[in-house]
Amino acid sequence: MYKRKRKVVTDYSDVKLETKDLILKKAEFEDWKTIYYNLWRHKESAKYMLWQPTETDEDAKDRMKRTIAFEEKPENKYALFVYLKKTGEAIGFAGMRELEPGIYEETGIALGPEFVKKGYGRQILTALLEEAGKLGAKEFHACNRIGNAASRALQLSCGFVFDSLSEEKTDPRTGETYVLENHIFRY
Protein backbone atom coordinates (compact mmCIF):
# COMPACT_ATOMS: atom_id res chain seq x y z
CA MET A 1 0.00 0.00 0.00
CA TYR A 2 1.37 3.38 -0.99
CA LYS A 3 1.15 6.15 1.59
CA ARG A 4 1.35 9.72 0.52
CA LYS A 5 3.87 11.80 2.46
CA ARG A 6 2.32 14.54 4.52
CA LYS A 7 3.53 18.00 3.72
CA VAL A 8 5.28 19.67 6.64
CA VAL A 9 3.65 22.97 7.44
CA THR A 10 6.11 25.76 8.07
CA ASP A 11 3.72 28.69 7.97
CA TYR A 12 3.81 30.14 11.46
CA SER A 13 2.03 33.36 10.59
CA ASP A 14 -0.76 32.35 12.96
CA VAL A 15 1.57 32.18 15.99
CA LYS A 16 0.26 34.89 18.29
CA LEU A 17 0.57 35.50 22.02
CA GLU A 18 -1.43 38.16 23.83
CA THR A 19 -0.96 39.91 27.14
CA LYS A 20 -2.90 42.71 28.79
CA ASP A 21 -1.13 45.40 26.74
CA LEU A 22 0.77 43.55 24.00
CA ILE A 23 0.49 41.24 21.03
CA LEU A 24 3.46 39.05 20.08
CA LYS A 25 3.29 37.89 16.47
CA LYS A 26 5.27 37.61 13.27
CA ALA A 27 6.62 40.82 11.76
CA GLU A 28 4.94 42.39 8.78
CA PHE A 29 6.97 44.39 6.27
CA GLU A 30 4.89 47.55 6.66
CA ASP A 31 5.98 47.75 10.30
CA TRP A 32 9.61 48.52 9.34
CA LYS A 33 9.13 52.20 10.13
CA THR A 34 7.74 51.81 13.67
CA ILE A 35 10.28 49.14 14.68
CA TYR A 36 13.06 51.31 13.27
CA TYR A 37 11.83 54.40 15.08
CA ASN A 38 10.98 52.63 18.36
CA LEU A 39 13.87 50.15 18.66
CA TRP A 40 16.37 49.52 15.89
CA ARG A 41 17.88 53.02 15.77
CA HIS A 42 18.65 53.19 19.51
CA LYS A 43 22.18 52.41 20.71
CA GLU A 44 20.99 51.94 24.29
CA SER A 45 18.57 49.22 23.14
CA ALA A 46 21.37 47.31 21.41
CA LYS A 47 23.83 47.63 24.30
CA TYR A 48 23.35 44.11 25.70
CA MET A 49 22.30 42.50 22.41
CA LEU A 50 24.32 41.18 19.46
CA TRP A 51 22.96 43.58 16.85
CA GLN A 52 23.98 47.01 15.63
CA PRO A 53 21.61 49.98 15.51
CA THR A 54 20.10 50.67 12.10
CA GLU A 55 20.87 54.11 10.69
CA THR A 56 18.70 54.77 7.62
CA ASP A 57 15.23 54.06 6.25
CA GLU A 58 16.75 51.91 3.48
CA ASP A 59 18.76 49.90 6.00
CA ALA A 60 15.59 49.44 8.08
CA LYS A 61 13.68 48.11 5.07
CA ASP A 62 16.52 45.68 4.28
CA ARG A 63 16.66 44.61 7.91
CA MET A 64 12.92 43.99 7.94
CA LYS A 65 13.24 41.72 4.87
CA ARG A 66 15.99 39.73 6.64
CA THR A 67 13.94 39.60 9.83
CA ILE A 68 10.90 38.20 8.03
CA ALA A 69 13.06 35.57 6.29
CA PHE A 70 14.57 34.63 9.68
CA GLU A 71 11.14 34.35 11.31
CA GLU A 72 9.89 32.06 8.53
CA LYS A 73 12.41 29.31 9.34
CA PRO A 74 10.87 26.39 11.29
CA GLU A 75 13.41 26.66 14.10
CA ASN A 76 12.33 30.29 14.60
CA LYS A 77 8.62 29.58 15.09
CA TYR A 78 8.59 31.73 18.22
CA ALA A 79 10.71 34.63 16.94
CA LEU A 80 8.11 37.37 17.27
CA PHE A 81 7.67 41.12 17.13
CA VAL A 82 6.07 42.91 20.07
CA TYR A 83 3.18 45.24 19.28
CA LEU A 84 1.26 47.62 21.53
CA LYS A 85 -2.41 46.65 21.53
CA LYS A 86 -3.48 50.27 22.00
CA THR A 87 -1.76 51.61 18.86
CA GLY A 88 -0.71 48.53 16.87
CA GLU A 89 2.84 49.84 16.58
CA ALA A 90 5.89 47.55 16.70
CA ILE A 91 7.92 48.34 19.83
CA GLY A 92 10.29 45.39 20.15
CA PHE A 93 10.91 41.71 19.65
CA ALA A 94 11.03 38.56 21.74
CA GLY A 95 11.47 34.86 21.23
CA MET A 96 11.99 31.38 22.53
CA ARG A 97 12.97 28.01 21.14
CA GLU A 98 12.94 24.39 22.21
CA LEU A 99 16.47 23.12 22.87
CA GLU A 100 15.42 19.52 23.40
CA PRO A 101 12.10 17.92 24.36
CA GLY A 102 10.73 19.79 27.38
CA ILE A 103 13.64 22.27 27.57
CA TYR A 104 13.07 25.79 26.26
CA GLU A 105 15.11 28.96 26.23
CA GLU A 106 14.40 32.62 25.79
CA THR A 107 16.20 33.90 22.68
CA GLY A 108 16.07 37.60 23.42
CA ILE A 109 13.71 40.32 24.53
CA ALA A 110 14.28 43.87 23.33
CA LEU A 111 12.07 46.91 23.72
CA GLY A 112 12.66 50.47 22.60
CA PRO A 113 13.74 52.93 25.31
CA GLU A 114 10.30 54.58 25.52
CA PHE A 115 8.73 51.21 26.37
CA VAL A 116 10.88 49.99 29.26
CA LYS A 117 9.89 50.24 32.93
CA LYS A 118 6.21 49.88 32.02
CA GLY A 119 5.79 46.19 32.91
CA TYR A 120 6.00 45.06 29.28
CA GLY A 121 9.10 42.90 29.83
CA ARG A 122 7.25 40.97 32.55
CA GLN A 123 4.23 40.54 30.28
CA ILE A 124 6.46 39.20 27.50
CA LEU A 125 8.46 36.79 29.66
CA THR A 126 5.29 35.54 31.37
CA ALA A 127 3.62 34.94 27.98
CA LEU A 128 6.66 32.96 26.77
CA LEU A 129 6.71 30.90 29.98
CA GLU A 130 2.99 30.17 29.67
CA GLU A 131 3.28 29.18 26.00
CA ALA A 132 6.23 26.87 26.73
CA GLY A 133 4.21 25.35 29.58
CA LYS A 134 1.35 24.60 27.17
CA LEU A 135 3.89 22.90 24.91
CA GLY A 136 5.05 20.62 27.75
CA ALA A 137 8.10 22.49 29.06
CA LYS A 138 9.80 21.13 32.15
CA GLU A 139 12.49 23.83 32.20
CA PHE A 140 12.88 27.27 30.70
CA HIS A 141 16.30 28.93 30.49
CA ALA A 142 17.09 32.64 30.25
CA CYS A 143 20.31 34.59 30.53
CA ASN A 144 21.56 38.12 30.82
CA ARG A 145 24.92 39.76 30.51
CA ILE A 146 26.45 40.56 33.87
CA GLY A 147 25.78 44.25 34.21
CA ASN A 148 22.30 44.09 32.68
CA ALA A 149 20.53 44.60 36.00
CA ALA A 150 17.09 45.11 34.44
CA SER A 151 17.08 41.72 32.68
CA ARG A 152 18.46 40.00 35.75
CA ALA A 153 15.80 41.53 38.02
CA LEU A 154 13.03 40.64 35.55
CA GLN A 155 14.08 36.99 35.33
CA LEU A 156 14.40 36.59 39.10
CA SER A 157 11.06 38.32 39.72
CA CYS A 158 9.38 35.87 37.32
CA GLY A 159 10.56 32.87 39.33
CA PHE A 160 13.87 32.07 37.66
CA VAL A 161 16.78 31.01 39.86
CA PHE A 162 20.51 31.37 39.27
CA ASP A 163 21.94 28.35 37.45
CA SER A 164 25.49 29.16 36.33
CA LEU A 165 27.87 31.62 34.69
CA SER A 166 28.96 31.18 31.10
CA GLU A 167 32.51 31.13 29.92
CA GLU A 168 33.83 34.51 28.91
CA LYS A 169 32.51 35.50 25.47
CA THR A 170 33.55 38.18 23.00
CA ASP A 171 31.08 40.64 21.55
CA PRO A 172 31.66 40.48 17.77
CA ARG A 173 30.60 44.13 17.39
CA THR A 174 33.01 45.66 19.89
CA GLY A 175 35.59 43.00 20.72
CA GLU A 176 34.75 43.44 24.42
CA THR A 177 34.47 40.39 26.63
CA TYR A 178 31.40 39.59 28.69
CA VAL A 179 29.94 36.81 30.83
CA LEU A 180 26.36 35.59 30.83
CA GLU A 181 24.48 34.80 34.00
CA ASN A 182 22.23 31.81 33.31
CA HIS A 183 18.87 31.38 35.05
CA ILE A 184 16.39 28.51 35.03
CA PHE A 185 12.64 28.27 35.62
CA ARG A 186 11.27 24.86 36.51
CA TYR A 187 7.62 23.99 35.96
Side-chain angles (χ1 to χ4, degrees):
M1 176 198 262
Y2 173 76
K3 283 188 176 182
R4 193 177 342 169
K5 279 189 171 184
R6 294 174 80 186
K7 185 177 179 185
V8 176
V9 176
T10 57
D11 177 15
Y12 299 122
S13 60
D14 64 338
V15 173
K16 184 176 172 180
L17 307 177
E18 288 194 46
T19 74
K20 182 179 118 209
D21 300 305
L22 308 169
I23 295 173
L24 285 72
K25 65 183 184 92
K26 294 298 183 181
E28 296 178 28
F29 182 77
E30 58 270 14
D31 296 320
W32 70 265
K33 194 173 241 177
T34 58
I35 197 68
Y36 170 48
Y37 179 79
N38 290 326
L39 176 68
W40 287 347
R41 67 188 179 102
H42 297 283
K43 289 180 183 174
E44 63 269 35
S45 298
K47 181 178 180 180
Y48 295 112
M49 307 298 279
L50 291 176
W51 50 270
Q52 294 279 12
T54 302
E55 296 183 5
T56 68
D57 285 1
E58 286 310 309
D59 288 343
K61 290 175 188 176
D62 289 341
R63 184 172 182 174
M64 183 59 93
K65 289 175 188 171
R66 291 190 312 274
T67 297
I68 289 169
F70 175 83
E71 288 183 354
E72 289 175 345
K73 295 177 181 177
E75 65 269 25
N76 299 323
K77 177 179 181 178
Y78 285 98
L80 306 168
F81 263 32
V82 177
Y83 294 85
L84 273 182
K85 276 185 179 179
K86 189 172 25 177
T87 63
E89 65 185 303
I91 63 166
F93 63 82
M96 70 175 187
R97 66 179 166 210
E98 187 174 28
L99 296 172
E100 57 185 76
I103 311 295
Y104 286 78
E105 76 172 349
E106 173 256 325
T107 57
I109 296 173
L111 293 169
E114 291 181 36
F115 305 97
V116 297
K117 299 185 191 236
K118 297 182 183 288
Y120 298 155
R122 177 180 308 286
Q123 288 183 45
I124 293 164
L125 188 53
T126 300
L128 295 174
L129 287 168
E130 288 173 359
E131 182 70 8
K134 290 177 192 172
L135 298 169
K138 297 175 192 142
E139 292 181 2
F140 195 105
H141 297 259
C143 62
N144 59 272
R145 287 190 191 196
I146 290 180
N148 187 344
S151 289
R152 182 180 196 278
L154 172 64
Q155 291 163 12
L156 296 176
S157 73
C158 286
F160 285 80
V161 294
F162 176 80
D163 183 49
S164 63
L165 294 176
S166 72
E167 294 179 17
E168 202 169 81
K169 299 178 178 278
T170 302
D171 187 321
R173 303 167 306 159
T174 64
E176 294 176 9
T177 58
Y178 64 94
V179 174
L180 294 175
E181 186 175 80
N182 301 303
H183 296 103
I184 188 166
F185 179 94
R186 289 188 173 84
Y187 291 81

